[in-house]
Amino acid sequence: MMDAIRAAASRAGRINFGYQRSKDLCVAGAAIRLHKAILSCVRNHRDFSEKMEALAQTLGIKLPDREKITLKQALANVCEAWKAKRLIEIDDGERRAAWLEEIMTQRALE
């Protein structure tokens, strides 16, 4: 079983060009990008782009009303996203092993 997990990890590492991350960590990184983009729009008094709306829909995050969100709230959202990502990074090894095991199981069923 461990050999299969190691083989899947090695293969995932090659596919991702050496970066071996869990799905949760990738999602947390995308959430940070989205919140930073929201912060940028608030600072520059711009509307949200279609790509931001698509990313928010993919992540399951509801975009705030552009006129109602303040700079302080947007910055707090970025900080919260960073904190959430840091918590995921702390136990990412266990999450990654579970994720790779899930991938291995799906490939075995195919």
Side-chain angles (χ1 to χ4, degrees):
M1 183 69 156
M2 290 305 293
D3 291 336
I5 291 174
R6 285 189 189 109
S10 176
R11 179 161 169 70
R14 284 195 303 268
I15 291 171
N16 293 328
F17 305 103
Y19 295 102
Q20 299 180 359
R21 299 185 182 132
S22 69
K23 181 179 178 182
D24 294 334
L25 190 58
C26 294
V27 169
I32 290 172
R33 279 197 336 261
L34 176 64
H35 287 295
K36 286 175 75 173
I38 292 170
L39 178 64
S40 178
C41 288
V42 171
R43 277 190 179 145
N44 297 318
H45 305 287
R46 302 281 182 183
D47 291 330
F48 299 140
S49 69
E50 292 178 12
K51 289 187 177 185
M52 287 175 62
E53 292 172 1
L55 180 58
Q57 185 177 12
T58 301
L59 296 174
I61 297 173
K62 186 177 181 296
L63 283 177
D65 187 15
R66 171 59 195 88
E67 284 77 30
K68 291 184 180 178
I69 189 168
T70 65
L71 185 63
K72 188 174 183 177
Q73 289 171 334
L75 187 57
N77 291 342
V78 172
C79 291
E80 287 299 317
W82 274 110
K83 287 177 186 177
K85 181 178 178 274
R86 182 63 187 136
L87 291 175
I88 292 171
E89 285 175 341
I90 290 171
D91 64 345
D92 186 52
E94 296 168 7
R95 289 175 186 252
R96 190 173 158 272
W99 177 55
L100 290 173
E101 190 173 320
E102 180 183 318
I103 289 173
M104 181 184 66
T105 306
Q106 289 175 353
R107 288 187 182 167
L109 294 175
E110 290 177 352

